[in-house]
Amino acid sequence: MSSLAALAGLAGGVVYAQEPPAPAPPQQPAAAPFNEEATKNVAAPCVEPPPMVRLEDYDGPLKKVVGTFARPLERKAVHPPNYKPGAKLCTLKFKDKFVLFVQDSFDPVTFLGTAFDAGLDQARNTDPSYGQGAEGYGRRFGAELAGGTSSRFFKDFAYPWIFSEDPRYYRLARGSGGKRLLHALEHAVVAHRDDGRRMFNYSEWLGTTNAVSLQQRSR
């Protein structure tokens, strides 16, 4: 009996050894990285300037008038405090610079300023060849409008495109009145490239020179 028991145990061990092993538990898939980890090596997108406030959003006729006169400045100004530190401002492309020139040329403030300058020239009788009266004023208005348009074409579009220059004005974040005045005067000499670096303001000087030359030749 003891021999039979031993043989039975040995047979059972052989059968157990021949059974296939239990399958290994399935491995859990690796967790996907967080968005911050997945994009931390990707260049950060540029920051679009905030849209201008529409005239319909101003409360009252007086504020609408103030908003009308402030629109050209807001259109061509950049407010650094509005962006996070280190944020890269979006570059004005070829089309954007041309649109900026067109918007400034057809802005109501442009026509009001041209009418005012033509009136001063009429009162001082600048360039008597234009004459006086309504005809003389019309000639002066047309000359002032053409000169201003050509100046904006070179300053806002042509030379900024040629020299990869940003035609916008970068406002000073903080500072006293004197410091802000010096910053504004500095803009006549120092401008910004499309990539944010500082450069000589070619568009200001060359654009003014071309506009004056064209105005002199047209007389």
Side-chain angles (χ1 to χ4, degrees):
M1 293 296 294
S2 60
S3 299
L4 292 176
L7 290 174
L10 180 60
V14 172
V15 172
Y16 179 80
Q18 291 178 352
E19 290 182 356
Q27 296 181 352
Q28 296 293 332
F34 294 103
N35 292 334
E36 293 80 4
E37 296 177 354
T39 61
K40 64 181 179 180
N41 294 327
V42 180
C46 60
V47 179
E48 292 283 356
M52 291 191 305
V53 179
R54 301 174 303 170
L55 291 179
E56 294 81 3
D57 298 326
Y58 286 91
D59 184 17
L62 179 60
K63 293 183 179 180
K64 289 182 183 295
V65 172
V66 175
T68 300
F69 281 91
R71 285 174 69 81
L73 177 61
E74 294 296 327
R75 186 185 301 120
K76 296 183 65 176
V78 176
H79 308 262
N82 292 348
Y83 312 112
K84 296 179 180 179
K88 180 182 178 182
L89 192 64
C90 288
T91 300
L92 288 182
K93 300 180 180 179
F94 179 87
K95 179 189 71 173
D96 300 325
K97 294 177 181 179
F98 183 76
V99 169
L100 180 65
F101 154 69
V102 172
Q103 288 178 336
D104 281 349
S105 298
F106 288 95
D107 195 282
V109 177
T110 299
F111 292 96
L112 291 176
T114 302
F116 180 77
D117 292 338
L120 290 179
D121 291 343
Q122 181 90 346
R124 294 180 297 190
N125 198 24
T126 303
D127 196 348
S129 63
Y130 287 124
Q132 290 292 322
E135 183 178 358
Y137 179 81
R139 291 178 178 176
R140 288 184 170 88
F141 180 86
E144 291 285 350
L145 185 62
T149 302
S150 61
S151 177
R152 282 185 294 273
F153 174 79
F154 289 115
K155 291 182 178 180
D156 295 347
F157 172 65
Y159 286 122
W161 170 58
I162 294 174
F163 294 104
S164 298
E165 181 181 337
D166 191 341
R168 294 170 293 187
Y169 172 70
Y170 283 71
R171 291 184 176 180
L172 187 65
R174 298 178 180 83
S176 60
K179 190 174 182 181
R180 292 178 181 273
L181 177 61
L182 292 177
H183 178 76
L185 295 175
E186 182 189 39
H187 177 70
V189 182
V190 180
H192 289 78
R193 295 185 182 273
D194 288 333
D195 58 6
R197 294 181 298 169
R198 295 161 69 87
M199 62 175 292
F200 179 74
N201 198 342
Y202 290 103
S203 63
E204 181 69 28
W205 293 90
L206 295 179
T208 302
T209 302
N210 288 138
V212 172
S213 300
L214 291 175
Q215 201 169 15
Q216 293 295 332
R217 292 179 181 179
S218 62
R219 292 182 177 180

